[in-house]
Amino acid sequence: MTVAVDTLPPPAGRTGSRKRHGESVGRVQRTARFLARRSMRLHRKAWAAVFAALVLTALLLGSFALATLSAFVGHAHVERYAATTVVVAADQTTRYRAKPWGDPMTTVTQSLTERVRVPAAVVDRLAEVPGVRAAVPDSSFPVALADPDGRGVPGPDSDSGTAPVYGHGWPTAALAPFTLRAGKAPAGARQVAVDGDLAARAGVRPGDRLRLQMLGAPADYVVSGIVAPKGEADDTGLGHQGAVFFTEGEAGRLSGHPGTVDAIGVLADDGVSVHELYPALRKALAGEKPARDAVAGSRDPQDSSLLRVLTGNGRGQAEFLDAAPSRAGLLNLLAMLCATVIMIAVLVVAGTVTQAVHQRARELALLRAVGATPWQLRVTVGREVTGVATTAAVVGAVGAVPVFLMLLWMLRDRGAVPVGLDLPVLPWMFATPVLTAVLTLVVARVAAALACGRIAKIRPAQALGEAQSEPGQPGRGRTVTGLIVLFAGLSSAGTAALQSGEPAAMAAGSAALALVIACALLGPWIARGAMRLLAPPARKLGGAGGYLAAASTTANSRRLGAAITPVVLVVAFVGVQLAAGATMDHEGSAQARQAMRANLVVTTEDTGLPAGAARRVAAVPGVEAATGALHSTVVLARKEAGDPVLERLPVVGVTPGALPATLDPDVTSGSLRDLREGTVAIGAARADALDAGVGSTVRLRYGDGVTASLRLVAVYERSLALGDFLFAREALAHHVSTPLDTRILARLAPDADEAAVREAVDKALSGAVLGARVTAHPSPEHLRSEDRGVSQVLTAVAVGVVGGFTVIAVLSTLVLIVIGRRQELVLLRLVGAGRGQVRRMLRVEAAIVIVTGLVVGALAALIPLTAFSLSVTGSLPYLPPVQVAAIVLVVVVTVAAGVLLPARPALRRRRPGALRRT
């Protein structure tokens, strides 16, 4: 008879072996549970410090991960096109395709900030598509209002400066949809319908007159009706922007772009879904290209030539052009900040857990000496860490939600995100803190395993001796790794010195992070080097306490290095975060002040100033020169280390003949008098990066995607204030959605009476510009990157939250070190050291930690910052003295509290029995 092998009973010996192994595992687990419970009770203070660090770690990782995810799923708000099924618009991105070194062809994209327009002829084609009820062309233009008494009317929420007023043709009211609440639709060229919120602010009703200004001179209109969004209980506007509706013909004339429209809203027949309509519209648009202006030129061949059919949340892209570039900038900044937070959290958690385990080295060595196996020690420490880390991770994950919501509120409250950019808070996003909590638990377990690995591996007979003695030097692997990371950090700093702009900033950030990690790995060596310098003055100036401090820190370089590392971390991180932006702002502001020559400025509260306003100001007697400031952006395609890069840069258009009387860019070669259509002036730093000079040609893409090869006519120095490229206003105006000047800068003649000239300018503009204000002493013209507002908010959050986290880490580490030294302090008291001598010893040790941490942290920050600052600004790094003093004060207070306060119980004890109770 044949018996299957898998049915045979196992041999008796194997069964006994499995049984003994199971019993052994059970004994190990029971022993580990017993030891873990005892340790948690005996080392509550040590694990409390670990608990605090892990809570903050989970909180930071969860909140910043939520913010990054919110930016990732963010989109433009759908407001004016809420009733549409789809929206047809031009592609608002530009592309650059190139082949990096040794890599396949790569394409990068960049969002455009100016409107790419759609041919008006497309409207009829879309209207003929089956399932389309109506195809409504929409063109918007800014509108300034004055009430019947001539006073300016601010737009909705104008206190925050985020709600402009736009004009539209009456047929587009169906796209929101707006419905009449009073009066009737505009029927004549001089009739308008306004939304309820604006009507309330202006105090007008149907039949009243309203003075409006668009891109030209002001004109009087009659209010024919009051409108409000359908379904609203009161007569209000949409919230993000006010609306004024003209007749279709008048709106086409006022928009200033005949033959083209901003976008086309498509309304579907009843029962026709977007899934059915989308392919039909794509087919109808096959081969149709964006509008081409004979004056403006054409887009780059690499850009998409097809019109886009936008659905769902994508419809908002045609309405709020700033949303996409701002979202991309916010996402990039948050991603970099998250990477930094993760690295800092890993360093802090690893250091805190390691110190907590190292404090128990004698206890673990004793267990090893009396027969505990390495596995039992690892399981014991693992159970302790798991219990603490699990609770801490849950608490931190719960706390991450309100911190995330506070961060979103700060971004909106400070105006760091533009009007129309939605950063959603979706239910499924709240699973993210759970993942970051798991990551926190994993980091804590790995740190604990590495920390107890050394004692767990040594032989029982050597365990106590190993625990009692401080290792002579760090391990070879740690030292080699530290030197490699140090070399990488210095190399990144060198790279930052050779780059400019964003690549330099990224290289500097990487260098700072690498140098901090290198300091953590080389901490004992740094401590030894510091003691060679600081031990002699400590012995000389500190008396007996100084001698004890020098002897203690020299003998325990590993412990001193563990105390110095978090101080270095907080100084380097906060220093880099604050100094990078402060250096750019400081140097840019200095250049802006030097460039400003105007002593009179004209501004408006609402839309801006038309082109003719600057000419009116220049014609006033007593005005030597006047120029409008027209702001826009350009995109520069280039290669960075072989990789294709599209860099969007802020630029300004000016009147060349008014320079340098109003603005002095500090021209070093060429002449601004030659600035006109087809030419451009360039900043010296950018000219060096492009290896270009006067007479060279540079290829740029305007804000509307039109590409042009421009001849360089001048090179100037003050590019941090005035941007890398300077244009003639009339040349730039062709590529701006609404060519309105931000302000007018004027220079008075030397012998002119300021008060009389101001009055004359105000009189000259009274009938030409609504709400014009003439003031003296204008603020400097200082162009900043479009994501500077977001960067400032995130920097403040990072310094406040992450800086506070690292400060708590410093405090926790120092408290753990001092708690572990209480027996040492009591022993010093027993052998005759006075309380004053021990206190002086601790003060000297604290001073050594403070001085070393500040100096090393400052060097870790200064090396990359200096490379970045010299390459971008040509100056040394700058940090306001108040912020420097704040950093020093925080470090001094934190270290003093972490060293002196935990030692007080040990210093109060006199009896020998105190050794057993520490």
Side-chain angles (χ1 to χ4, degrees):
M1 184 176 68
T2 304
V3 180
V5 175
D6 57 0
T7 62
L8 294 175
R14 182 176 299 178
T15 302
S17 175
R18 290 177 179 176
K19 183 177 180 181
R20 287 193 298 273
H21 177 71
E23 293 174 351
S24 175
V25 171
R27 285 195 301 271
V28 170
Q29 292 179 344
R30 287 192 297 273
T31 303
R33 284 195 296 269
F34 171 76
L35 294 175
R37 287 194 300 268
R38 294 283 297 175
S39 175
M40 292 293 291
R41 289 196 296 268
L42 293 175
H43 301 284
R44 290 189 300 271
K45 294 181 179 179
W47 289 119
V50 174
F51 178 83
L54 291 174
V55 166
L56 291 173
T57 299
L59 186 146
L60 284 178
L61 292 179
S63 58
F64 281 109
L66 279 171
T68 305
L69 188 58
S70 179
F72 181 77
V73 300
H75 55 81
H77 183 66
V78 182
E79 183 173 286
R80 200 171 70 244
Y81 299 137
T84 62
T85 307
V86 299
V87 175
V88 175
D91 190 0
Q92 287 289 148
T93 58
T94 186
R95 294 165 177 78
Y96 177 40
R97 193 163 181 254
K99 183 175 174 33
W101 300 331
D103 293 328
M105 194 70 73
T106 302
T107 301
V108 293
T109 62
Q110 185 64 268
S111 298
L112 298 172
T113 58
E114 306 291 352
R115 177 76 63 182
V116 183
R117 305 187 66 78
V118 179
V122 176
V123 177
D124 294 336
R125 188 184 308 175
L126 295 177
E128 296 173 356
V129 173
V132 173
R133 174 163 53 92
V136 182
D138 180 30
S139 290
S140 62
F141 44 90
V143 177
L145 296 82
D147 61 17
D149 297 327
R151 296 187 301 268
V153 178
D157 299 329
S158 63
D159 292 340
S160 61
T162 58
V165 179
Y166 287 100
H168 311 274
W170 173 248
T172 64
L175 302 180
F178 278 100
T179 58
L180 282 167
R181 296 300 172 89
K184 59 182 181 180
R190 292 299 179 180
Q191 291 183 346
V192 294
V194 299
D195 71 56
D197 186 70
L198 282 177
R201 291 173 180 269
V204 295
R205 295 177 297 178
D208 291 342
R209 301 184 68 83
L210 195 59
R211 193 164 180 80
L212 307 177
Q213 182 171 27
M214 282 62 68
L215 301 180
D220 291 330
Y221 290 83
V222 176
V223 178
S224 65
I226 307 297
V227 299
K230 185 177 181 180
E232 294 289 341
D234 55 352
D235 296 338
T236 60
L238 291 176
H240 284 102
Q241 51 186 302
V244 178
F245 294 98
F246 301 79
T247 62
E248 186 174 10
E250 183 71 0
R253 184 184 68 83
L254 294 174
S255 66
H257 298 281
T260 64
V261 296
D262 291 357
I264 303 170
V266 178
L267 303 175
D269 287 330
D270 294 338
V272 178
S273 69
V274 64
H275 302 290
E276 297 170 344
L277 196 58
Y278 180 86
L281 292 175
R282 290 287 339 140
K283 184 178 179 180
L285 292 173
E288 186 62 49
K289 299 181 179 180
R292 173 176 175 177
D293 191 319
V295 177
S298 60
R299 299 182 65 175
D300 190 274
Q302 298 186 28
D303 288 349
S304 173
S305 60
L306 300 178
L307 297 178
R308 300 183 64 192
V309 179
L310 306 174
T311 63
N313 290 328
R315 294 170 296 169
Q317 298 176 23
E319 186 174 355
F320 298 102
L321 299 185
D322 292 336
S326 296
R327 172 183 167 273
L330 175 62
L331 188 60
N332 185 41
L333 289 172
L334 281 172
M336 290 191 295
L337 187 57
C338 277
T340 303
V341 168
I342 290 174
M343 293 301 299
I344 290 176
V346 169
L347 288 174
V348 168
V349 170
T352 307
V353 173
T354 299
Q355 195 59 42
V357 175
H358 182 72
Q359 176 186 321
R360 300 174 50 206
R362 291 182 177 88
E363 174 187 326
L364 295 176
L366 179 60
L367 292 173
R368 186 79 178 95
V370 298
T373 65
W375 189 19
Q376 286 176 321
L377 296 185
R378 290 193 182 96
V379 173
T380 299
V381 174
R383 282 184 173 275
E384 296 175 31
V385 172
T386 300
V388 173
T390 301
T391 306
V394 171
V395 174
V398 173
V401 176
V403 173
F404 158 64
L405 297 176
M406 183 191 69
L407 177 58
L408 288 188
W409 173 82
M410 288 183 62
L411 289 171
R412 296 189 179 105
D413 184 67
R414 303 281 182 89
V417 293
V419 173
L421 176 59
D422 282 349
L423 299 177
V425 181
L426 305 175
W428 58 265
M429 292 170 49
F430 294 110
T432 304
V434 177
L435 299 179
T436 56
V438 173
L439 176 62
T440 303
L441 178 60
V442 171
V443 170
R445 285 297 303 265
V446 172
L450 294 176
C452 72
R454 185 173 175 274
I455 291 184
K457 290 180 180 178
I458 61 177
R459 293 192 298 270
Q462 298 176 324
L464 286 176
E466 290 284 344
Q468 297 288 344
S469 62
E470 172 80 11
Q473 62 184 18
R476 180 177 300 177
R478 176 176 176 175
T479 302
V480 172
T481 304
L483 292 174
I484 293 175
V485 176
L486 177 64
F487 176 77
L490 296 176
S491 299
S492 295
T495 302
L498 300 176
Q499 304 292 334
S500 62
E502 184 178 345
M506 294 179 63
S510 301
L513 193 58
L515 291 176
V516 169
I517 296 174
C519 291
L521 294 172
L522 300 176
W525 293 106
I526 294 173
R528 289 190 176 193
M531 288 314 304
R532 288 182 181 273
L533 298 175
L534 298 178
R539 295 189 186 99
K540 183 177 181 180
L541 301 177
Y547 179 84
L548 291 173
S552 175
T553 51
T554 301
N556 297 280
S557 60
R558 188 183 294 273
R559 185 177 67 195
L560 180 61
I564 292 172
T565 296
V567 180
V568 172
L569 179 63
V570 67
V571 173
F573 173 77
V574 174
V576 169
Q577 290 293 324
L578 293 178
T583 301
M584 294 289 292
D585 289 342
H586 178 72
E587 188 63 24
S589 298
Q591 290 189 10
R593 290 191 298 270
Q594 296 165 1
M596 180 57 68
R597 295 289 185 268
N599 46 24
L600 205 66
V601 62
V602 180
T603 58
T604 60
E605 188 174 339
D606 298 311
T607 60
L609 297 140
R615 292 192 292 269
R616 285 177 175 267
V617 174
V620 172
V623 174
E624 179 181 335
T627 179
L630 180 63
H631 292 168
S632 185
T633 60
V634 296
V635 177
L636 175 65
R638 58 184 177 84
K639 284 190 175 183
E640 189 71 54
D643 295 324
V645 175
L646 281 175
E647 187 175 4
R648 189 173 52 248
L649 305 167
V651 295
V652 62
V654 295
T655 303
L659 275 58
T662 52
L663 285 174
D664 183 11
D666 190 14
V667 175
T668 57
S669 61
S671 173
L672 293 175
R673 298 284 178 179
D674 299 327
L675 199 59
R676 59 178 63 90
E677 184 78 41
T679 65
V680 68
I682 188 172
R686 181 66 65 176
D688 291 340
L690 298 178
D691 193 21
V694 175
S696 302
T697 300
V698 61
R699 191 169 179 83
L700 294 176
R701 308 180 190 198
Y702 289 100
D704 61 352
V706 171
T707 301
S709 294
L710 305 174
R711 182 171 58 89
L712 300 180
V713 296
V715 178
Y716 56 92
E717 285 290 338
R718 294 175 179 142
S719 58
L720 289 178
L722 302 180
D724 286 333
F725 297 99
L726 197 61
F727 291 85
R729 187 202 179 281
E730 298 305 322
L732 188 62
H734 296 307
H735 308 280
V736 178
S737 301
T738 54
L740 295 173
D741 294 332
T742 304
R743 59 180 180 166
I744 297 173
L745 300 173
R747 176 76 178 179
L748 301 184
D751 56 347
D753 180 21
E754 180 182 310
V757 173
R758 287 177 57 184
E759 184 178 352
V761 170
D762 187 67
K763 184 177 180 180
L765 296 176
S766 60
V769 179
L770 291 182
R773 293 176 297 182
V774 184
T775 56
H777 311 295
S779 60
E781 184 72 14
H782 187 185
L783 300 187
R784 291 180 172 89
S785 62
E786 57 193 13
D787 59 356
R788 181 61 184 139
V790 175
S791 178
Q792 288 177 330
V793 173
L794 292 182
T795 297
V797 172
V799 170
V801 178
V802 182
F805 171 49
T806 51
V807 165
I808 293 177
V810 171
L811 193 61
S812 300
T813 303
L814 293 174
V815 168
L816 285 173
I817 290 174
V818 175
I819 289 175
R821 294 180 60 193
R822 283 184 178 175
Q823 291 184 349
E824 172 190 330
L825 300 179
V826 173
L827 182 60
L828 287 174
R829 294 282 293 116
L830 291 175
V831 298
R835 285 196 185 94
Q837 291 175 323
V838 176
R839 289 195 183 97
R840 191 174 299 112
M841 177 192 75
L842 293 175
R843 293 192 189 104
V844 173
E845 290 184 6
I848 292 172
V849 172
I850 291 170
V851 172
T852 307
L854 287 174
V855 171
V856 177
L859 286 175
L862 276 176
I863 291 174
L865 281 174
T866 302
F868 165 75
S869 181
L870 290 176
S871 64
V872 176
T873 68
S875 63
L876 293 176
Y878 171 79
L879 189 62
V882 174
Q883 295 182 2
V884 174
I887 294 174
V888 174
L889 179 63
V890 167
V891 169
V892 170
V893 172
T894 303
V895 173
V899 172
L900 300 179
L901 294 181
R904 294 181 64 183
L907 295 180
R908 286 197 296 263
R909 297 174 180 176
R910 295 185 178 182
R911 295 168 298 169
L915 276 173
R916 294 190 296 271
R917 293 194 296 271
T918 55

